[in-house]
Amino acid sequence: MEIYVVPDAPATGVVAAGILAAVVRSKPNAILGVATGSSPIPVYEALAAHDLDMSQLRTFALDEYVGLPAGHPQSYAEVVRREVTERLGLDPARVAVPDGGAGDPHEAAVNYDSAIREAGGIDVQLLGIGHNGHIAFNEPGSELDSRTRVEVLADRTRQANARYFRSLDDVPTRCITQGLGTILEARQLLMVVRGADKAEVLAAALSGPVSPECPGSVLQLHPHVTVVADQAAATHLDAFRQVTLQVATPSA
Ligand code: PGA
C-alpha cells in the first residue's frame, strides 16, 4: 500500500489526478471507477487540467440512491454528469451509473455488476470513506465478498448527506451500491481522504481488523492500493511508511 500525505484537499486532488492521468496515458481506453461525495471533487478538478485524450475512457460510478426522480440534482446520475462527464468532457454514452429509478432495482444491481465484468473490469477505482467506514454505500455489516445490490443507508450516512438535500427526510433510505467484492476486483484502488474528522476511521480501515464492521478495511485485502490523504486525515497513520509530498496547487 502506498500512502501519500499532502498539505490540503486541493493537493489530494493534484496527486490523485496525476495517478489517474498516468493510467489514462498508458491505456487510453481505461475503465475508471468514479466516486461521488466531496472528497473526489478536487481530483476531477485537477484531472480536467491535464491535457489528456479521454474520448475512449469508460467510467462506472460506485452507487446511486434508489427512488429519486429522474434528473433530481442530487441523484448520482446528475452529480456524475456535472462533476465528471461535463468537467472532463467525457462521452455520456460511456458513463454508467446504477439505475436507481429501475422498476426492479435488485435486477438493475445485478445487471450493473455484470456490465462492469463484461466491460473488462475497472482499471482504477476512486474511493472516499465515510465516517462509519463505508466505501461506496457498503455500510457496516456488509459482507466482504458482497456484490452490487440494493442496500439500506445507515442513519449516519443519511445525516452526513442531508447537507445536499433540503432536509433529512428528503434523503433516500435505499441505494444501489457496488459490493465490497465488486470493488476488490478493480485492478487498482485509489482512496482520497481529507479532514481531521476522517483520521480515526482511516486508521481503522488501514490498520484495524479486516471486518464487515469497517467496510473500508477491505483495502487491506487488495494488492494495489494507493491512499492520498491530507495531513489532517493522516494523523493516526503512524504505523505506515508515508510519503509526504509538497504539492503546489493553483490558488483559487
Ligand atoms: P465525503 O464522503 O467525501 O463527502 O466525505 C465520503 C463517503 O461518504 O464515502
Side-chain angles (χ1 to χ4, degrees):
M1 183 174 323
E2 289 171 319
I3 302 181
Y4 295 109
V5 180
V6 297
D8 52 23
T12 64
V14 171
V15 172
I19 292 167
L20 293 179
V23 170
V24 176
R25 275 198 197 92
S26 68
K27 187 176 179 185
N29 63 347
I31 303 190
L32 300 189
V34 296
T36 52
S38 56
S39 306
I41 298 293
V43 184
Y44 305 133
E45 288 172 349
L47 188 58
H50 282 259
D51 185 20
L52 281 176
D53 175 7
M54 295 193 249
S55 61
Q56 295 180 63
L57 280 186
R58 284 187 71 174
T59 68
F60 284 88
L62 281 171
D63 46 15
E64 174 61 294
Y65 295 111
V66 167
L68 287 180
H72 189 290
Q74 293 309 328
S75 70
Y76 286 172
E78 281 298 297
V79 173
V80 168
R81 186 183 60 73
R82 287 194 303 269
E83 302 293 355
V84 183
T85 312
E86 290 189 350
R87 200 189 284 278
L88 300 179
L90 304 182
D91 175 357
R94 300 173 79 82
V95 176
V97 180
D99 184 1
D104 183 347
H106 298 280
E107 187 184 12
V110 171
N111 291 343
Y112 195 77
D113 210 275
S114 303
I116 293 172
R117 204 172 269 159
E118 284 159 17
I122 289 171
D123 288 295
V124 52
Q125 175 65 59
L126 190 57
L127 295 167
I129 189 166
H131 294 107
N132 63 0
H134 76 201
I135 56 172
F137 276 141
N138 291 282
E139 304 288 18
S142 295
E143 298 290 336
L144 301 182
D145 61 355
S146 50
R147 309 302 309 180
T148 306
R149 66 198 186 283
V150 175
E151 265 293 344
V152 174
L153 293 171
D155 289 344
R156 202 162 170 202
T157 299
R158 293 185 64 244
Q159 283 155 12
N161 290 5
R163 67 193 195 273
Y164 298 117
F165 291 82
R166 268 184 317 187
S167 74
L168 181 57
D169 286 346
D170 290 339
V171 184
T173 56
R174 293 193 306 158
C175 64
I176 296 174
T177 181
Q178 281 191 37
L180 295 174
T182 315
I183 291 169
L184 284 175
E185 286 172 1
R187 288 181 268 284
Q188 179 177 2
L189 303 180
L190 175 57
M191 179 173 273
V192 180
V193 195
R194 66 182 191 196
D197 55 321
K198 295 283 178 68
E200 262 181 51
V201 76
L202 181 61
L206 301 188
S207 56
V210 177
S211 149
E213 292 321 304
C214 182
S217 65
V218 295
L219 264 64
Q220 298 178 47
L221 303 176
H222 195 286
H224 192 181
V225 176
T226 307
V227 177
V228 183
D230 72 359
Q231 267 158 1
T235 48
H236 293 14
L237 298 182
D238 304 339
F240 291 89
R241 192 182 69 82
Q242 306 166 26
V243 177
T244 304
L245 299 177
Q246 293 306 319
V247 178
T249 53
S251 51

